[in-house]
Amino acid sequence: MLVLTRKKGESIQIGEDIEITITSIKGDQVKIGINAPKNVEIHRKEVWLDIQSENAAASEEVTDLFTILAKAKKD
């Protein structure tokens, strides 16, 4: 993991398309602004993990559906 120190108003550039700017610091909370192309998905980590979990559960249901359909064709 790369760890960088930034002050309010300073930025970090990721590649050519993504810029992260520190917009405010209040106590132990830091607000950041992210400038990225619209095709780049940006989520808080806990939301991203929830999305991944939901996607995995949905794909399991599809596999089960295919199994059910295959058994129905045999009957």
Side-chain angles (χ1 to χ4, degrees), residues 24-41:
S24 71
I25 303 169
K26 187 182 280 187
D28 64 348
Q29 189 175 53
V30 177
K31 290 187 180 180
I32 60 173
I34 303 170
N35 187 6
K38 290 185 179 187
N39 66 325
V40 175
E41 292 186 25

Side-chain angles (χ1 to χ4, degrees), residues 3-73:
V3 178
L4 301 172
T5 302
R6 300 279 74 200
K7 295 178 182 176
K8 181 180 172 184
E10 294 181 335
S11 298
I12 297 168
Q13 187 73 32
I14 301 174
E16 292 186 20
D17 296 334
I18 301 171
E19 180 182 15
I20 300 173
T21 303
I22 306 304
T23 59
S24 71
I25 303 169
K26 187 182 280 187
D28 64 348
Q29 189 175 53
V30 177
K31 290 187 180 180
I32 60 173
I34 303 170
N35 187 6
K38 290 185 179 187
N39 66 325
V40 175
E41 292 186 25
I42 301 171
H43 302 284
R44 294 180 317 210
K45 178 79 178 247
E46 62 274 15
V47 171
W48 184 83
L49 291 172
D50 287 344
I51 291 169
Q52 298 305 309
S53 177
E54 290 290 325
N55 286 345
S59 65
E60 286 177 13
E61 291 174 14
V62 170
T63 302
D64 292 343
L65 178 61
F66 287 141
T67 303
I68 292 168
L69 291 174
K71 287 180 183 179
K73 285 185 178 180

